[in-house]
Amino acid sequence: MILDLLSAEALLAELRSDIGPERSGAVMVALTEGMPAPGEVPDERRASLPFVVVGVTRGAIGDPWLGLCDVVVEEGDPALGRIEENLATRPITGTTLALLLRGQHRLSVGDGLVAESTAYSVLQSGPEFAAWRAAHPVRTDRDGSPRVAMQRDGGTLTVTLTRPRRLNALDAQMRDELVEALTVAGADPSITRVELRGEGRAFCSGGDLDEFGSRSDPATAHLIRLQRSVARALSRLNKDTVTYLHGACVGSGIELAAFTDTVVAARDTQISLPEIGLGLAPGAGGTVSLPRRIGRLRTAWLAFSGCTVDAETAHSWGLVDVLER
């Protein structure tokens, strides 16, 4: 459980004063309909708060209060327990994620990707990721088969993930092949539309967990992520882009899809951002792409809770543009 509970008034007092060095972790604040507006809190003070503010709401809450929170959850929502557990067991990850999301609205896509990769690398060198990695031994069964297939039909290039036995888990080989495919698409003026699809039961089940933390050091991994960024390639692709989701769309599976112009989802689509459970923040561009589609607080709800949403919910939020019949 989150042990530190604050009243709204106590939160405001802390936001408007110097934060003591003993403050860390997370605080929970009850927000009820009809509360008077909080008044102005300097954005620069809030931006560097060394703790996570969890707003627990009852009724309709005004934007000024919501803007002071890092994550908001309705009273009685089962996600609250997941958020509490994640923040209690992974306080470093939670605080780093909150700091990252607070600042993304001021950054360009490119700068946002740099900030995200930097935070991700910091967490890779931290104790919470190390504990997860130690508890999850790396499997050694590697598959060197192609990860991506390209098919041209007129002006449309279809790029298909072809690792169905691993639910199209994104590994370094798939990342590199995707960057190459998108580079080809960008360089060919006769290609006017790019479609992303996945073979098998799922579009993409997220990053290949066996590769997490496999680089010699987090700093080198940071530079490689920036040099070979699928997110950057998608964001710079001056073409009509469409992603077709089905089955599991976990972590990078939804983070990359959210960069495309149109996201189409089958009814069986299940979306989640589970990285906090690994002691990590989203690292494939999700803190950049998702807030631009669904806002900071819905992105935070997904990222802090690790909960799954279905295609209909994602459509109502704007994370999915079209639901397949």
Side-chain angles (χ1 to χ4, degrees):
M1 294 288 291
I2 296 174
L3 301 179
D4 216 345
L5 306 177
L6 290 183
S7 67
E9 292 77 12
L11 173 65
L12 287 177
E14 293 216 21
L15 291 177
R16 291 168 177 157
S17 63
D18 291 332
I19 305 299
E22 72 280 359
R23 169 68 69 201
S24 63
V27 298
M28 185 187 303
V29 181
L31 302 176
T32 57
E33 187 172 3
M35 295 173 61
E40 186 175 353
V41 174
D43 189 57
E44 63 272 14
R45 183 178 294 278
R46 180 182 161 276
S48 59
L49 288 180
F51 59 90
V52 182
V53 179
V54 182
V56 182
T57 65
R58 180 189 298 171
I61 306 300
D63 288 343
W65 278 112
L66 299 180
L68 299 180
C69 299
D70 293 303
V71 59
V72 172
V73 60
E74 292 181 6
E75 186 179 60
D77 186 339
L80 178 57
R82 296 279 298 274
I83 292 169
E84 288 185 84
E85 179 183 359
N86 283 329
L87 290 176
T89 57
R90 301 169 191 90
I92 297 172
T93 305
T95 303
T96 302
L97 177 58
L99 290 166
L100 179 61
L101 286 172
R102 287 174 198 158
Q104 283 289 13
H105 69 283
R106 294 188 292 268
L107 303 178
S108 67
V109 169
D111 289 343
L113 292 174
V114 172
E116 180 185 277
S117 181
T118 302
Y120 190 89
S121 294
V122 167
L123 292 173
Q124 274 196 323
S125 64
E128 293 164 6
F129 172 71
W132 175 86
R133 183 72 282 175
H136 297 81
V138 174
R139 293 177 292 186
T140 57
D141 55 323
R142 306 306 297 167
D143 171 18
S145 61
R147 301 293 196 253
V148 168
M150 292 188 288
Q151 183 175 3
R152 179 75 181 266
D153 182 8
T156 298
L157 178 69
T158 299
V159 180
T160 303
L161 310 184
T162 57
R163 203 185 183 197
R165 291 181 59 188
R166 293 292 297 273
L167 300 181
N168 295 318
L170 181 69
D171 63 358
Q173 182 181 338
M174 182 183 287
R175 176 203 63 205
D176 292 347
E177 291 182 20
L178 277 171
V179 170
E180 182 179 350
L182 295 171
T183 301
V184 168
D188 189 340
S190 68
I191 295 175
T192 58
R193 176 183 172 95
V194 176
E195 297 182 353
L196 299 182
R197 297 179 181 269
E199 280 187 1
R201 295 182 292 116
F203 170 68
C204 177
S205 60
D208 186 333
L209 301 184
D210 292 331
E211 289 194 344
F212 281 29
S214 62
R215 291 289 173 184
S216 58
D217 64 90
T220 298
H222 168 56
L223 295 181
I224 291 172
R225 270 193 303 276
L226 297 179
Q227 292 163 357
R228 306 174 190 173
S229 171
V230 181
R232 178 174 283 103
L234 279 171
S235 68
R236 292 178 175 177
L237 191 60
N238 190 23
K239 315 279 181 176
D240 181 26
T241 52
V242 184
T243 302
Y244 292 86
L245 306 180
H246 68 283
C249 299
V250 178
S252 56
I254 188 60
E255 296 173 51
L256 296 175
F259 278 106
T260 58
D261 298 318
T262 305
V263 178
V264 180
R267 296 285 176 170
D268 68 345
T269 299
Q270 298 287 312
I271 292 170
S272 62
L273 294 177
E275 290 93 343
I276 194 171
L278 286 63
L280 295 171
T287 64
V288 179
S289 61
L290 267 71
R292 284 165 166 76
R293 277 184 164 267
I294 62 174
R296 176 179 63 86
L297 289 179
R298 280 180 170 158
T299 301
W301 185 94
L302 284 169
F304 281 102
S305 72
C307 289
T308 299
V309 296
D310 58 22
E312 288 77 10
T313 300
H315 183 246
S316 71
W317 288 0
L319 188 51
V320 164
D321 301 300
V322 179
L323 281 179
E324 290 186 333
R325 294 182 180 275

